């Protein structure tokens, strides 16, 4: 089991490194070639890109990773999960068509064309992530890492070789959409054998459980990205760019926690069902200690390296972005540790607890962001992040403690 965990975690981390490197390079490219205002615009488009990804895919990547790991290849249960994947992909087209039109009536900080391309790109990202969930459940993360490496090459190579051509946010997202389309087709080819003898029916059989993943996924998007959207009403796009840069670096430092947490879902899920040698209680106690150690380590690393990192990206943002990262480095400790409680709840079939907590946290985030953001700008937004992260940290920590202490294997 340990060897499989190490292998899955290694390729999951490698895969996410390629994704994060792609995102950070685009931020670097935009800040250097499109400017401060361009980076602010990119931050807004990025919010809608991630939002459409969550809405159109139902945020089912974790669900697929958990469920597909529990069933044998060719089984009826596996076929039902694959049918769920195809049904979600078809139904997810509808919000991509409708929502850009609705949003354009209420929000004019970016053009309608950027809204449309963010919706299309978001749909492809959501589809790609759901396929990635299937690969995760089948412990095929080496294929996932290969796909994301190719995506990195498809996006970064043209920008390096023909940087002058990609002088607008539109062109950058056209390139991103093209790369996502190629990767979706490649990942579908990777899982083609699982569809042999597959009979499709347009039906979401598991929506009673899936709704927690869907709304929970949208809550996660709001918790991660909505501050950029709200700030766009209160500050100039050039100032917004400085905060967006700090935010992307902050999330990059949480990379290992997010990826290792995701890669552990199949193993925790099987241990919860008694299908692994290591007991559910002992295994999760070790996981929590592991995350606690790295939460402290990476928070310190972000604190001491923030000036150098900002200078590497865009020296004009050094004063403001480095100040934002100073505060965010302390928040990182709690966010890092929360990744472990997230995956334990999901693997223990307690996604409703995770959803309810994040839903309340997202409402708290929006309310405080509007109030504190309007009064204190970026500093008010960061204060809101701290309050919300502490709320999630303590609430999820309480429920995970209850689950581990009260666990009894039911056969």
């Amino acid at each position: 089991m340990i060897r499989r965990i190490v292998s899955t975690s290694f390729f999951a981390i490698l895969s996410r490194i390629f994704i994060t490197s792609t995102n950070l390079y685009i931020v670097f490219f935009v800040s250097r070639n499109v400017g401060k205002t361009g980076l602010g615009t990119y931050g807004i488009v990025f919010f809608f890109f991630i939002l459409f990804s969550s809405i159109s895919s139902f945020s089912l990547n974790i669900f697929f990773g958990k469920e597909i790991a529990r069933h044998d290849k060719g089984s009826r249960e596996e076929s039902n999960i694959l049918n769920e994947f195809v049904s979600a992909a078809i139904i997810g087209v509808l919000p991509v068509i409708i929502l850009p039109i609705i949003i354009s009536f209420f929000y004019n900080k970016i053009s309608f064309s950027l809204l449309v391309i963010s919706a299309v790109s978001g749909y492809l990202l959501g589809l790609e992530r759901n396929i990635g969930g299937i690969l995760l459940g089948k412990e095929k993360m080496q294929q996932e890492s290969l796909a994301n490496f190719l995506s990195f090459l498809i996006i970064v190579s043209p920008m390096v070789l023909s940087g002058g051509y990609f002088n607008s946010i539109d062109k950058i997202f056209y390139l991103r959409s093209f790369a996502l389309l190629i990767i979706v087709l490649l990942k579908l080819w990777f899982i083609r054998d699982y569809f042999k003898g597959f009979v499709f029916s347009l039906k979401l059989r598991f929506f009673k459980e899936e709704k927690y993943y869907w709304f929970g996924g949208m809550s996660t998007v709001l918790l991660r990205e909505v501050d950029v959207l709200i700030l766009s009403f209160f500050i100039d796009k050039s100032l917004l760019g400085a905060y967006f840069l700090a935010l992307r670096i902050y999330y990059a430092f949480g990379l290992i926690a997010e990826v290792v947490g995701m890669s552990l879902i199949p193993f925790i899920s099987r241990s919860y069902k008694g299908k692994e040698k290591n007991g559910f209680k002992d295994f999760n106690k070790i996981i929590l200690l592991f995350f606690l150690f790295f939460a402290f380590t990476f928070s310190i690393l972000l604190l001491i390296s923030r000036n150098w990192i900002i200078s590497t990206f865009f020296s004009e943002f050094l004063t403001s972005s480095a100040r934002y990262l100073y505060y965010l480095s302390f928040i990182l400790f709690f966010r890092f540790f929360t990744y472990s409680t997230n995956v334990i709840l999901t693997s223990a079939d307690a996604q409703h607890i995770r959803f309810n907590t994040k839903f309340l946290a997202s409402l708290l985030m929006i309310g405080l962001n509007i109030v504190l953001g309007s009064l204190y700008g970026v500093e008010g937004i960061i204060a809101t992040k701290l309050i919300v992260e502490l709320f999630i940290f303590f609430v999820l920590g309480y429920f995970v403690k209850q689950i581990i202490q009260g666990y009894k294997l039911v056969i």
Side-chain angles (χ1 to χ4, degrees), residues 43-217:
I44 297 170
V45 178
F46 189 83
F47 164 78
F48 286 111
F49 169 56
I50 300 299
L51 179 65
F52 281 115
S53 167
S54 178
I55 293 173
S56 64
S57 68
F58 295 86
S59 300
L60 294 181
N61 55 315
I62 297 177
F63 171 82
F64 292 133
K66 175 176 72 78
E67 290 296 325
I68 208 82
R70 296 178 175 181
H71 306 297
D72 297 327
K73 183 177 180 180
S75 65
R76 180 175 60 84
E77 292 84 0
E78 183 190 72
S79 180
N80 288 337
I81 298 300
L82 295 174
N83 188 86
E84 206 75 359
F85 161 73
V86 178
S87 296
I90 294 173
I91 297 171
V93 173
L94 296 177
V96 171
I97 297 172
I98 298 170
L99 287 180
I101 299 173
I102 297 174
I103 293 171
S104 66
F105 286 111
F106 303 97
Y107 189 79
N108 60 2
K109 301 293 182 179
I110 58 173
S111 65
F112 180 69
S113 64
L114 281 175
L115 268 176
V116 171
I117 190 61
S118 69
V120 173
S121 299
Y123 173 80
L124 292 171
L125 177 63
L127 186 59
E128 184 258 344
R129 285 181 172 178
N130 279 351
I131 303 172
I134 295 174
L135 292 173
L136 170 64
K138 293 298 183 181
E139 298 179 36
K140 302 289 185 182
M141 292 306 291
Q142 64 271 26
Q143 295 175 336
E144 174 79 2
S145 61
L146 172 62
N148 287 316
F149 171 66
L150 291 176
S151 177
F152 173 81
L153 290 180
I154 293 171
I155 292 174
V156 172
S157 297
M159 295 177 75
V160 171
L161 297 174
S162 305
Y165 175 78
F166 298 98
N167 55 2
S168 69
I169 307 301
D170 301 69
K171 292 179 180 178
I172 291 172
F173 266 91
Y174 288 140
L175 177 62
R176 188 154 209 168
S177 297
F178 172 74
L180 283 167
L181 177 60
I182 297 299
I183 299 309
V184 164
L185 294 175
L186 177 63
K187 285 187 176 182
L188 286 173
W189 186 77
F190 286 153
I191 64 172
R192 66 193 185 283
D193 289 343
Y194 298 109
F195 286 92
K196 290 182 178 178
F198 173 72
V199 178
F200 172 68
S201 62
L202 185 61
K203 183 180 180 181
L204 292 176
R205 291 181 171 87
F206 306 95
F207 190 73
K208 184 177 180 180
E209 179 183 0
E210 289 169 353
K211 65 178 183 291
Y212 293 115
Y213 290 87
W214 191 23
F215 295 124

Side-chain angles (χ1 to χ4, degrees), residues 82-376:
L82 295 174
N83 188 86
E84 206 75 359
F85 161 73
V86 178
S87 296
I90 294 173
I91 297 171
V93 173
L94 296 177
V96 171
I97 297 172
I98 298 170
L99 287 180
I101 299 173
I102 297 174
I103 293 171
S104 66
F105 286 111
F106 303 97
Y107 189 79
N108 60 2
K109 301 293 182 179
I110 58 173
S111 65
F112 180 69
S113 64
L114 281 175
L115 268 176
V116 171
I117 190 61
S118 69
V120 173
S121 299
Y123 173 80
L124 292 171
L125 177 63
L127 186 59
E128 184 258 344
R129 285 181 172 178
N130 279 351
I131 303 172
I134 295 174
L135 292 173
L136 170 64
K138 293 298 183 181
E139 298 179 36
K140 302 289 185 182
M141 292 306 291
Q142 64 271 26
Q143 295 175 336
E144 174 79 2
S145 61
L146 172 62
N148 287 316
F149 171 66
L150 291 176
S151 177
F152 173 81
L153 290 180
I154 293 171
I155 292 174
V156 172
S157 297
M159 295 177 75
V160 171
L161 297 174
S162 305
Y165 175 78
F166 298 98
N167 55 2
S168 69
I169 307 301
D170 301 69
K171 292 179 180 178
I172 291 172
F173 266 91
Y174 288 140
L175 177 62
R176 188 154 209 168
S177 297
F178 172 74
L180 283 167
L181 177 60
I182 297 299
I183 299 309
V184 164
L185 294 175
L186 177 63
K187 285 187 176 182
L188 286 173
W189 186 77
F190 286 153
I191 64 172
R192 66 193 185 283
D193 289 343
Y194 298 109
F195 286 92
K196 290 182 178 178
F198 173 72
V199 178
F200 172 68
S201 62
L202 185 61
K203 183 180 180 181
L204 292 176
R205 291 181 171 87
F206 306 95
F207 190 73
K208 184 177 180 180
E209 179 183 0
E210 289 169 353
K211 65 178 183 291
Y212 293 115
Y213 290 87
W214 191 23
F215 295 124
M218 288 189 285
S219 296
T220 298
V221 171
L222 295 177
L223 288 170
R224 285 178 60 101
E225 311 292 348
V226 76
D227 44 3
V228 173
L229 180 70
I230 292 173
L231 267 176
S232 70
F233 289 99
F234 303 130
I235 63 176
D236 183 81
K237 285 182 181 178
S238 61
L239 298 176
L240 183 64
Y243 175 70
F244 180 73
L245 174 59
L247 199 62
R248 303 279 41 103
I249 295 169
Y250 162 69
Y251 287 135
F253 268 74
L255 169 68
I256 189 171
E258 185 176 357
V259 174
V260 171
M262 283 284 292
S263 65
L264 287 172
I265 286 175
F267 304 100
I268 303 175
S269 182
R270 281 196 291 268
S271 70
Y272 182 74
K273 293 294 185 180
K275 295 185 177 182
E276 294 287 355
K277 294 180 180 178
N278 299 70
F280 178 76
K281 288 185 178 181
D282 293 337
F283 187 44
N284 284 302
K285 288 177 181 178
I286 294 172
I287 289 172
L288 292 172
L289 289 174
F290 171 85
F291 275 86
L292 182 62
F293 170 77
F294 281 100
F296 178 79
T297 302
F298 277 81
S299 295
I300 296 298
L301 283 175
L302 178 57
L303 180 65
I304 63 179
S305 64
R306 67 188 190 282
N307 288 340
W308 175 79
I309 296 172
I310 295 297
S311 298
T312 302
F313 276 87
F314 199 40
S315 58
E316 290 187 40
F317 284 154
L318 180 59
T319 301
S320 54
S321 294
R323 187 174 75 255
Y324 304 151
L325 281 177
Y326 173 82
Y327 301 115
L328 289 171
S329 64
F330 294 98
I331 303 174
L332 180 64
F333 174 86
F334 300 102
R335 182 174 185 81
F336 210 107
F337 194 75
T338 297
Y339 281 119
S340 62
T341 54
N342 277 333
V343 297
I344 291 172
L345 288 169
T346 296
S347 301
D349 295 332
Q351 184 70 16
H352 62 288
I353 295 175
R354 182 177 173 181
F355 159 70
N356 290 332
T357 303
K358 290 201 168 184
F359 177 72
L360 291 174
S362 63
L363 294 179
L364 181 64
M365 171 74 83
I366 293 172
L368 288 178
N369 269 340
I370 293 173
V371 175
L372 298 181
S374 62
L375 293 175
Y376 304 108

